[in-house]
Amino acid sequence: QVQLVETGGGLVQAGGSLRLSCTASDWTFSAHAMGWFRQAPGKEREFVSAVRWSRVGSKTGDSVKGRFTISKDKDKRTIYLQMNSLKPEDTAVYYCAAATVGPWNAPLSDFNYNMWGQGTQVTVLL
């Protein structure tokens, strides 16, 4: 069974940076898109950023534009989230997700993300 494993979370001071990674365990892995979501305590899950897997294209949420950058390495079956200028409000569990089924004629934030990692905690201190 394909698994998504996130790494790179931790504690960081406000203004600092972290780089998250998510790797699919199976070499046969393919998807329409892979991306990142986050959920803070008491808040609903929020779309962060996603990339099309075999096509050009990406989308990033307004709250992190200019600070977070998503990238992919298809050979490594991995996506990354470079997070700069971190703020306390970025504190959340960050989840990697993959959309392996359709539809694909939708905004990246609305793809059917049917595979999820366990999440990695990001805590930003004042």
Side-chain angles (χ1 to χ4, degrees), residues 33-102:
M34 292 187 69
W36 296 94
F37 295 76
R38 67 186 183 184
Q39 187 166 25
K43 298 183 179 179
E44 64 182 12
R45 187 179 63 192
E46 177 188 14
F47 172 79
V48 176
S49 189
V51 293
R52 298 184 186 274
W53 194 241
S54 298
R55 297 171 181 261
V56 175
S58 65
K59 182 178 180 179
T60 302
D62 290 340
S63 63
V64 300
K65 280 184 178 178
R67 299 188 297 118
F68 292 8
T69 303
I70 192 168
S71 60
K72 66 183 179 185
D73 186 332
K74 294 183 68 177
D75 289 339
K76 296 181 179 179
R77 307 182 307 278
T78 299
I79 62 168
Y80 306 92
L81 186 68
Q82 179 66 46
M83 305 185 294
N84 298 326
S85 301
L86 283 162
K87 305 175 181 179
E89 52 262 44
D90 295 319
T91 295
V93 177
Y94 284 71
Y95 295 94
C96 176
T100 63
V101 298

